[in-house]
Amino acid sequence: MNIEDLKKMDKEILTPTDVAPLLRCDPNVIRYQAKRDIRQLGFPASKIGSRIKIPKEAFIKWFEGRL
C-alpha cells in the first residue's frame, strides 16, 4: 500500500492496520504506543476504549509533511 492507495480508500477514519504499511511497522506497535501515550505517535489519533481511530485527512497531511 502507498499514500495514493490510502487517499482512494472510501473511509474517513483509519485504523492502525490501515496506516502501518505506510509507516513500515506492525499495527500492534501503533496500538501499544497509543496505549502508553497517544501524543507520542506523532500523527493525529484518538483512543476510544481500546480502539485507535486516525482521521484520514489529518494523517495524509502529517504523512506528506503539511501538518
Side-chain angles (χ1 to χ4, degrees), residues 8-52:
K8 293 176 187 174
M9 291 179 80
D10 192 30
K11 55 186 186 176
E12 296 301 315
I13 303 297
L14 305 172
T15 65
T17 303
D18 297 325
V19 302
L22 291 171
L23 302 175
R24 295 183 178 153
C25 71
D26 188 286
N28 288 324
V29 171
I30 299 169
R31 291 182 191 101
Y32 177 77
Q33 182 58 51
K35 182 178 178 182
R36 291 189 69 215
D37 185 356
I38 199 163
R39 296 169 293 170
Q40 293 295 317
L41 285 174
F43 53 84
S46 299
K47 190 170 87 160
I48 303 169
S50 62
R51 301 194 187 268
I52 309 305

